[in-house]
Structure formats: structure tokens, C-alpha cells
Amino acid sequence: MDIKEPQRKRNRKENGKPHNFSVNYFVFLKGTKKQICQKLFRALFSVSQRRINTISKKIKIGSTLTEKRGGDRKSHKFANKFNEVKKFISNLKGKESHYGRAKSRRIYLSAEYSIAKLWTIYNQNVSADQKVNYKHFSRVFNNHFNIGFGSPATDVCNFCVRTATQICNARNIIDKSELQTKLKVHKVRASQFLKIMKEELPSSVSFCFDLQQVQVLPKVPIQDAFYAQQLSIYFFCITATNCKNPVFYSWMEHQAGRGATEISSAVLDFLKRTNFAPNVDTLRLFSDGCGGQNKNSFIIHMLMLWLHSFAPETIKKVEVIFPVRGHSYLPADRIFGRVEKILKRHAVIKTPEKYCELYKQVGEIRQLGTNWSLVNIKKASVSLKKVIGISLSKRIIIKRGTVSKVVVKSESLYRTDDPAKKFQTLLKPKKRLDQIVLSKVRLGHEIKQKKLDSLKKLLVTLSGDKWYDTDPELRWMAEIFENLAVSHNEDQEYEDGEEACECAETDENNFI
Ligand SMILES: [Zn+2]
């Protein structure tokens, strides 16, 4: 075959497409070069007109076609886009699961978002050459990140998942049945917590408490809010185990942290305000086993003091019961579900009052500083010893004693009492419970400068440089900035040696 050098003759249309040169077609027939028509040439060699045109153009300008088949042609083309997508996802602010540090680093984004929504936002924010299709975006999202949407309450238990995998991979029947027994025991144990919680004993009253996922202010549906650090507002719920009459204790990030002091103070306020029926002699409390917030000696100290100084005489015993890790679905989570449903309908929330108004549709609201205050429970450690081995215990029993007025015992099983464990006073030598005074803690909690800067930037994006004038709903934030500046200058020391839970802070961290 031979293609004759194109000769410029006249513009001609072939297949409806114009080109400005003509091509002659030849074949070698028994050694002789013979001209044929284009149609026959295309039929003989099964080539398209487009291909002929491309080759002709190349020959005309004196270059040749390069071989493009094979080799790694895609990765370099997509490397930039890939990095850009990765950078975008890394910058999203997510919430870590309650047990996040100990287990997987799964991050949770608000249930309002989805991969498709994030993909749209990504494409709106990058230049044309960095836009990607949905398939590419979702592949990076799923393969390089561990992100979920919605509440981490649906976390699966690590032990259950790990053991189930081990059962599948077991090499022999003995190993397999051993693992199956182990998993069965674990699941039975986990279900004990729920069974105990559901038990309705005539002489006892049960409550559960839990801190909800952090809410933010201002809550706005603009893309900048994705990257900005907003102010956190906390809602701690205490409810009867049948989900009736929930009470929300709320406070802001600039007021207090979210450790044992806040939880103890809220629970103490709740217990002081509760009217116990005269036939009730036992109070049962259920909460997840988060060490920094619920499962620590400070909470036990607070309950000891409540029983000693504030509880009605008829209450003889307090039991605090913790779930098996990873199986901590509590009635409070159902209450939070109700709240989330309402919050979803409100894309914009700029004031704490607005949040409170919405929460009021579900339960009673008590705002820190107005309705309740923080007590310095950590100071009780001067007189009281820590509960030894608290992290392994499933039940902690606090009861009125005869000699020492309140005694404590911790049990590692739900139903069986360990005969080796005895009730003990936690009092240190020469200390008495009635000497312990719960003083008020001054409100104020440091916010990192980086967060404040990021927040200010968001406010400017929202309502301009003079956001405090333009948007009356944001004015309350200006006061926070002013007060923080003053307190920084005073270099104040907090009365409460704040010790945040290890699962706190995580919502401020970026994840990779
Ligand atoms: Zn489990």
C-alpha cells in the first residue's frame, strides 16, 4: 500500500467533513503500483476516513504518528487531580467516634452530606482542569479515607468484627469452635447490660446519661463552613431509661470543657432536682464507659457526696452500670435521634438560643451559667481516694454504710458479685465526708487562637468585615471575642484543673 503525498488542489468535502487537500490511493498488484478509488482502499484495509485524514495531515506537515498504545499513560494525568481530591477530603472537619482512639480512626461527617454532595462541592471549587467525575471522587473517598456519615452511635464493636473474621479464617475445627464460644460469651455479656437496663424493679429508679455529638455555631450550609472551625455547643442528656422526660444540659465551648467536672455537675444538678418516690431505695445510672467523662473516680465521688448530703434518707444505694465496649446503645441515643431530625430541618442556626428553642421540642433545657453551675468535684480528691481498677469494672455500687457513712464496691461482672470484693470507704485518713465542700467553678475555657482566626474568617465570609453590625444574630459572638481577649490578657488560671476526656478535642483535628 502506498499513500501518495497529498497535493493541494481544492477544498473538498468527504463524509461531510471538509479538508483542504486531496489524497490519492494506490495498491501494489503483482509488483505494480495501481491507483484505486478511496472507497475500495478503505474497504480493502478496513480503515476509517478519519484515520486516513489523520495520517494524511501528519504526512503533510512532515511528522509521523507516535505509538500511543500500552504503557502507563493515565497515572501521571490523574496524579494532580488525585492529590487535589485527597487534599479536599483531608480538610473536611469530621467527628471521631467516641472510642475512636482505641479503635479504628473512623470519622463521621454530618448526616446532611453524602459523597455526591461533597463531589459537587469539590468540582465547584476547583479549576476546570482539576474537575473529576463522580467515580474518581468516590474511589478516592472510599479507598483512602475512613469516613462515614451520620452518628457514630452505630459503631460496630471491634471485638465482634475481629472475632468473626478469625472464625472465617480458622484453620481447624477446634480453633473455630473456641472462637465461636468466645464470641458467644462476649455477646451474651453485652446483652446483659441491655437486659439489666430494661428491668423495672419496683424499688429502684433508672436514668441514663450521654453527651451528644458536638453541635456548632454558626451552623451554616455554605462551603466555607466545611473548612472553618466553628464554636462548639454541647448538649448532655439525662433521661429515664424509658426515654421519658429527657433533660438537656447545655453549655458553650468558651464556658467549659467536656470532662468529668461538667458531667458530674450536670448529674448532680439533675439528682438534686429529682423527686424520688418514697418507696424507691435504689438509684441506677447507665452511661457509656468513656473514661474522661463518665467512668472515672470523680463521678463516683460526686455520687458519694450526693448520697451523703443531698439524697433523701429513703435512698440507700446507687448503682452505676457500664456497657461492654462497642455495645453501648443507650436510650439517650434515641433522644438524640429525635433532636437530629429537628435539626436537619434547620440549615441555618446562628445563636445558642435558637438551638435551645429546637431542643425544647424534645425535652427540658438547662443552660450553664443560667440554670446550673459547675462544681469543683476534683477538689474532693483531697479527701477521697480513687476507685481502684475502675476501667475494668462493669458495675460500681455506692451505699450507705454504718461506720463510714458511704461505702463503695466495684464489680467486673454484671450479675455475679465477686466474694473477694468488699465495700470500702474511699476516705483518706483523718478525712470526713461532711468536710468536703463543693465550691463553684468560675466559667471560662480557652479556645485556641487558630480556631478563633478560622471562625472570624468564616464570619467575615458570612456577613462581611463588620459582621457584628450587619448581622444582629451574630452580635453575641463579638462579646466572646472581646471577653476572650480580656481573659487572655489577665492570664487567668482556671480554678478547675481541666482534664478533658481523651475522646474530646477530636472534632477539632483534621484527619488524614
Ligand atoms: Zn462486641
Side-chain angles (χ1 to χ4, degrees):
M1 181 197 89
D2 185 27
I3 297 173
K4 199 181 173 191
E5 189 77 25
Q7 294 163 6
R8 186 179 292 271
K9 279 188 179 169
R10 64 184 186 273
N11 278 345
R12 201 171 76 175
K13 277 193 174 184
E14 272 178 19
N15 284 351
K17 288 178 187 169
H19 66 76
N20 55 5
F21 52 84
S22 74
V23 181
N24 295 322
Y25 303 88
F26 298 89
V27 286
F28 282 97
L29 202 64
K30 291 180 183 169
T32 334
K33 195 167 156 186
K34 276 210 147 204
Q35 186 164 9
I36 57 169
C37 73
Q38 182 220 59
K39 213 169 173 183
L40 180 60
F41 183 87
R42 275 167 52 191
L44 269 174
F45 298 103
S46 292
V47 287
S48 66
Q49 184 58 45
R50 188 188 159 110
R51 198 176 168 96
I52 291 169
N53 287 348
T54 312
I55 296 167
S56 312
K57 274 184 214 163
K58 287 276 176 191
I59 293 170
K60 188 171 179 284
I61 57 169
S63 76
T64 51
L65 282 170
T66 51
E67 175 60 271
K68 285 184 183 167
R69 285 171 297 184
D72 177 17
R73 291 177 294 122
K74 276 191 171 177
S75 62
H76 75 276
K77 196 177 157 194
F78 289 115
N80 272 346
K81 289 184 177 182
F82 171 76
N83 288 334
E84 207 54 34
V85 171
K86 233 176 145 182
K87 206 170 102 192
F88 169 83
I89 302 174
S90 305
N91 280 332
L92 299 172
K93 301 285 175 295
K95 294 167 181 172
E96 208 167 292
S97 150
H98 223 56
Y99 295 109
R101 297 236 167 141
K103 295 205 302 183
S104 67
R105 296 264 300 169
R106 190 163 174 82
I107 302 291
Y108 292 86
L109 293 173
S110 164
E112 294 156 50
Y113 300 108
S114 60
I115 301 182
K117 272 191 186 170
L118 294 175
W119 168 65
T120 313
I121 293 168
Y122 168 81
N123 274 347
Q124 283 167 354
N125 282 283
V126 292
S127 53
D129 60 323
Q130 278 167 342
K131 287 194 197 310
V132 294
N133 61 24
Y134 176 74
K135 212 170 152 191
H136 180 102
F137 187 88
S138 68
R139 204 182 303 131
V140 179
F141 189 93
N142 291 323
N143 295 349
H144 297 270
F145 296 90
N146 189 7
I147 304 175
F149 296 96
S151 165
T154 50
D155 256 4
V156 280
C157 164
N158 223 20
F159 181 86
C160 285
V161 174
R162 197 177 58 234
T163 317
T165 321
Q166 283 171 346
I167 290 170
C168 287
N169 299 334
R171 288 199 184 149
N172 57 58
I173 210 146
I174 301 163
D175 284 358
K176 195 170 183 164
S177 72
E178 209 172 276
L179 286 164
Q180 277 167 337
T181 316
K182 223 166 121 187
L183 185 60
K184 211 172 163 187
V185 169
H186 168 82
K187 284 193 168 166
V188 166
R189 229 178 148 217
S191 66
Q192 282 301 322
F193 173 79
L194 290 175
K195 270 190 194 161
I196 292 173
M197 190 162 58
K198 279 180 187 159
E199 278 169 2
E200 283 189 21
L201 308 168
S203 60
S204 82
V205 64
S206 306
F207 297 106
C208 94
F209 56 84
D210 199 8
L211 185 67
Q212 195 188 5
Q213 282 285 304
V214 176
Q215 305 295 339
V216 291
L217 276 166
K219 181 191 173 198
V220 278
I222 63 163
Q223 286 139 27
D224 297 68
F226 260 126
Y227 307 104
Q229 298 197 337
Q230 294 128 293
L231 273 189
S232 301
I233 179 164
Y234 307 120
F235 291 92
F236 172 72
C237 175
I238 311 182
T239 174
T241 44
N242 60 5
C243 289
K244 281 188 181 156
N245 308 319
V247 180
F248 296 103
Y249 284 82
S250 88
W251 67 97
M252 294 282 310
E253 184 184 3
H254 64 276
Q255 293 183 302
R258 46 178 167 168
T261 305
E262 289 75 16
I263 304 302
S264 298
S265 306
V267 176
L268 181 63
D269 179 83
F270 177 84
L271 294 177
K272 278 186 185 176
R273 295 176 71 238
T274 304
N275 288 320
F276 292 91
N279 64 319
V280 169
D281 62 14
T282 304
L283 164 70
R284 301 191 312 160
L285 294 172
F286 298 85
S287 76
D288 75 48
C290 167
Q293 290 167 347
N294 310 327
K295 199 175 182 180
N296 55 62
S297 295
F298 302 117
I299 299 281
I300 304 305
H301 292 169
M302 179 275 295
L303 292 169
M304 288 174 76
L305 291 169
W306 173 76
L307 193 59
H308 176 261
S309 314
F310 305 102
E313 285 289 310
T314 43
I315 305 272
K316 304 287 181 219
K317 193 169 78 171
V318 182
E319 262 188 80
V320 195
I321 303 155
F322 300 104
V324 166
R325 204 177 230 210
H327 294 262
S328 62
Y329 189 79
L330 292 163
D333 292 319
R334 245 163 73 198
I335 307 280
F336 295 143
R338 289 180 203 166
V339 173
E340 293 287 350
K341 246 185 183 173
I342 296 171
L343 293 180
K344 245 186 195 180
R345 296 201 294 265
H346 295 81
V348 180
I349 301 177
K350 291 180 183 172
T351 62
E353 286 70 32
K354 180 71 190 170
Y355 267 117
C356 292
E357 197 188 302
L358 298 173
Y359 273 76
K360 262 184 204 157
Q361 295 177 28
V362 181
E364 187 190 342
I365 272 275
R366 289 186 65 77
Q367 285 179 274
L368 181 64
T370 312
N371 310 110
W372 64 292
S373 43
L374 295 183
V375 291
N376 201 338
I377 191 64
K378 289 182 179 170
K379 274 214 174 135
S381 310
V382 176
S383 308
L384 293 167
K385 287 181 279 189
K386 287 199 166 186
V387 183
I388 294 165
I390 194 167
S391 60
L392 295 172
S393 57
K394 287 279 160 272
R395 285 182 299 146
I396 296 170
I397 305 127
I398 304 151
K399 69 168 193 179
R400 293 186 194 271
T402 38
V403 187
S404 348
K405 289 187 176 159
V406 177
V407 284
V408 177
K409 182 170 86 160
S410 74
E411 290 287 352
S412 51
L413 295 171
Y414 285 116
R415 300 279 185 185
T416 333
D417 285 1
D418 182 350
K421 292 203 169 163
K422 301 270 180 279
F423 276 102
Q424 289 180 338
T425 169
L426 294 184
L427 280 168
K428 289 182 179 172
K430 293 179 188 169
K431 298 285 181 188
R432 291 203 329 263
L433 278 174
D434 39 26
Q435 286 175 329
I436 303 171
V437 181
L438 290 176
S439 57
K440 268 194 188 180
V441 177
R442 199 166 108 200
L443 299 185
H445 192 253
E446 198 194 342
I447 302 175
K448 286 188 183 123
Q449 194 56 45
K450 199 178 142 202
K451 185 168 193 167
L452 289 173
D453 294 343
S454 165
L455 177 64
K456 259 189 193 164
K457 218 171 126 191
L458 175 68
L459 294 170
V460 171
T461 318
L462 268 181
S463 305
D465 280 340
K466 298 211 164 173
W467 52 269
Y468 37 87
D469 282 334
T470 20
D471 192 342
E473 277 199 296
L474 293 175
R475 203 163 290 152
W476 65 277
M477 280 205 172
E479 278 170 40
I480 292 178
F481 284 115
E482 278 163 28
N483 291 342
L484 283 171
V486 172
S487 67
H488 283 169
N489 289 343
E490 281 176 359
D491 199 22
Q492 76 169 52
E493 258 183 45
Y494 297 111
E495 280 178 55
D496 173 33
E498 191 52 57
E499 190 184 287
C501 167
E502 68 156 16
C503 54
E505 295 170 13
T506 46
D507 68 325
E508 294 171 12
N509 297 339
N510 293 352
F511 50 86
I512 291 166

